[in-house]
Amino acid sequence: MSSIYVTGGKPLFGALRVQGAKNSALPILSAAVLAEGVSVIRNCPKLTDTEAAVRILREVGCRVWQDEDALYVDSSGPIRPEIPSRLMREMRSSVIFLGPLLARCGEARMSAPGGCEIGARPIDLHLSALRSLGAEIDERGGNLDCRAARLRSCRIDLPFPSVGATENALLAACLGDGETVITNAAREPELRDLEAFLNSAGASVSGAGSAVIRVQGKADLHGAVHRIMPDRIAAATWLAACAAAGGDVRLYDTEWRDYRPVLRSLREMGCELHTGENLVRIRSLGRLKAASPIVTRPYPGFPTDAQPPLMAAALTAEGTTAFQETIFESRFRHIPELRRMGADIRTEGRTAVVWGVPKLYGAEMCAPDLRGGAALIIAALGAEGESRICGVHHLDRGYAAIEKSLAELGAETVRKEDGDG
Ligand code: UD1
């Protein structure tokens, strides 16, 4: 087990390249199962979640290898449509393999993913979308047993624009008969990236990124070459870090249009932001001001994943900032940890109000989940003295060595194995 130690009070300066998007890499790795042949996936972030996806790919029969440049997935051999529960437990979003395995093999078996740190996370919308496509799904004893000799075209009206359910439906429909239309689809930018990969693999998908996605089913798909889009949540994390610590940071390889609501809140807080082609520059000088209420919503609203990092930046802003979390029910677990640093946060149900304090003090804290862990690191960067953050495995799911990225910007952040001096 390791911890990250942060010595706060040092402004951040310099430039940082933003990693490829985790939330795009995972569905695209699952899509490689559908694309019979070799897929070349560039800019795939090195994360424990992508490693877990690679273990699943190998388990089902794909050959996977990598070099400096790319990850290669060869799915031309026979595919075993079964994911053992030990692999399902490693990563909740493994359920994204359900649609591709079902479409490719006509059957799929896996254990149902349970809840996780941020909420119950049901998959009823995934399953009803696949049933509309003709799948028979048996859910017994926590296992999913799915069958569909042929997937048929249909209209899927999602009651909520779930990202995962939209992705599973879209992936399965690629090998269906005729045209499938998904309405009230999630509009997150990662859906556009998935569409781009699928179309390069020979699929016929249109409308991803809007609320109506149309898929013309094909008999088969082939391997494709694709570069994963930049990670908008990692970008929001680095911007919130600079806002909290002060400084002047340039992010490159980033698409700022994908996270406009985050930029709007940071501007309200008094940060100077300049955007260019694949570039964002943030300057944070002096004490921040409170932002107007931040309410998480499906895209194009404020992203739920950026709520904890922005809350961390608001802790020392002058005035009060309200946060309302409408997507996940347990997404405030970083708050008790932040209070250890002297943060003044009051919660009621899904609303948290931050009363800005002049100063935070280093503390020992434990990351409760991925983005909550990022919030602790960000708050520690702006605090006086040293902090120790445990539960680093949560951070490694979504950031490729977060302490190294921040150290590149001049932060004093080091990882130590527990027990090291
Ligand atoms: C969510 C985020 C997404 C983010 C991702 C990674 C939203 C809308 N989605 O996607 O932007 O990139 O986390 O952290 O912000 N739900 C059901 N039944 C289902 C599926 C979902 O009730 O079958 C509910 C969930 O409990 C949750 C909401 O729908 O309250 C959003 O879920 P969903 O979009 O599916 O979550 P992710 O795909 O994980």
Side-chain angles (χ1 to χ4, degrees), residues 238-268:
W238 310 137
L239 294 176
C242 181
D248 183 346
V249 166
R250 274 162 293 125
L251 300 182
Y252 59 99
D253 215 349
T254 184
E255 178 44 85
W256 58 271
R257 293 173 191 86
D258 289 342
Y259 49 93
R260 282 195 169 103
V262 173
L263 299 181
R264 200 174 308 129
S265 298
L266 288 168
R267 279 201 177 103
E268 281 181 10

Side-chain angles (χ1 to χ4, degrees), residues 108-414:
R109 284 176 299 281
M110 59 183 66
S111 54
C116 74
E117 297 81 15
I118 61 175
R121 310 197 76 175
I123 55 160
D124 54 314
L125 303 178
H126 300 235
L127 301 186
S128 72
L130 295 175
R131 283 188 174 114
S132 306
L133 283 159
E136 281 174 27
I137 306 176
D138 190 18
E139 298 172 75
R140 246 180 287 180
N143 292 317
L144 299 172
D145 190 342
C146 311
R147 269 159 220 285
R150 288 289 311 154
L151 290 167
R152 54 165 186 250
S153 63
C154 65
R155 190 186 156 98
I156 299 169
D157 295 307
L158 289 172
F160 177 85
S162 152
V163 176
T166 304
E167 289 167 345
N168 247 329
L170 162 58
L171 287 159
C174 283
L175 294 189
D177 281 333
E179 187 184 65
T180 296
V181 181
I182 308 170
T183 60
N184 197 26
R187 291 181 282 166
E188 267 69 358
E190 291 75 16
L191 263 305
R192 287 191 322 245
D193 212 28
L194 181 59
E195 173 186 85
F197 173 82
L198 289 167
N199 285 343
S200 346
S204 173
V205 182
S206 61
S210 79
V212 181
I213 301 179
R214 287 172 197 278
V215 187
Q216 201 66 50
K218 292 283 165 91
D220 46 35
L221 304 185
H222 51 76
V225 179
H226 183 77
R227 184 176 195 275
I228 301 285
M229 65 180 279
D231 194 317
R232 61 197 169 98
I233 305 303
T237 304
W238 310 137
L239 294 176
C242 181
D248 183 346
V249 166
R250 274 162 293 125
L251 300 182
Y252 59 99
D253 215 349
T254 184
E255 178 44 85
W256 58 271
R257 293 173 191 86
D258 289 342
Y259 49 93
R260 282 195 169 103
V262 173
L263 299 181
R264 200 174 308 129
S265 298
L266 288 168
R267 279 201 177 103
E268 281 181 10
M269 293 170 88
C271 298
E272 266 179 43
L273 282 144
H274 301 279
T275 54
E277 215 36 55
N278 303 320
L279 190 85
V280 176
R281 179 177 179 190
I282 180 168
R283 296 207 313 151
S284 169
L285 309 163
R287 190 169 176 194
L288 299 175
K289 302 186 295 256
S292 47
I294 290 175
V295 183
T296 63
R297 297 263 186 231
Y299 192 86
F302 192 96
T304 173
D305 285 348
Q307 173 263 108
L310 263 283
M311 186 182 291
L315 299 177
T316 53
E318 212 168 342
T320 57
T321 312
F323 290 83
Q324 199 189 339
E325 174 58 56
T326 74
I327 308 291
F328 293 113
E329 63 275 21
S330 311
R331 213 151 195 190
F332 282 157
R333 292 176 61 223
H334 44 288
I335 292 178
E337 302 296 311
L338 292 171
R339 287 192 185 119
R340 291 165 169 266
M341 309 181 86
D344 184 356
I345 312 170
R346 305 173 199 180
T347 55
E348 204 183 301
R350 288 189 173 202
T351 303
V353 180
V354 172
W355 298 67
V357 291
K359 217 172 208 182
L360 296 172
Y361 299 92
E364 297 217 349
M365 296 169 280
C366 207
D369 54 61
L370 167 57
R371 309 301 172 184
L376 306 186
I377 303 246
I378 292 166
L381 291 170
E384 187 179 300
E386 189 182 73
S387 294
R388 175 182 161 216
I389 292 118
C390 70
V392 176
H393 60 282
H394 289 297
L395 287 152
D396 292 338
R397 286 187 40 228
Y399 300 95
I402 192 168
E403 77 285 4
K404 289 193 182 142
S405 299
L406 290 165
E408 272 186 54
L409 299 174
E412 259 190 57
T413 41
V414 286

Side-chain angles (χ1 to χ4, degrees), residues 29-98:
L29 288 173
S30 81
V33 170
L34 281 181
E36 231 174 304
V38 179
S39 289
V40 182
I41 299 163
R42 300 194 200 284
N43 202 31
C44 186
K46 290 190 170 57
L47 309 169
T48 52
D49 265 9
T50 49
E51 285 165 10
V54 166
R55 276 194 286 279
I56 291 178
L57 286 169
R58 290 196 170 122
E59 176 71 28
V60 300
C62 298
R63 284 201 316 124
V64 185
W65 67 101
Q66 100 188 78
D67 61 21
E68 282 298 290
D69 231 33
L71 191 79
Y72 302 80
V73 182
D74 180 358
S75 62
S76 46
I79 297 292
R80 282 185 298 276
E82 186 153 10
I83 306 180
S85 55
R86 85 188 136 77
L87 291 180
M88 288 299 290
R89 272 198 296 270
E90 279 187 18
M91 182 175 65
R92 198 210 162 270
S93 36
S94 312
V95 72
I96 199 61
F97 282 87
L98 189 57

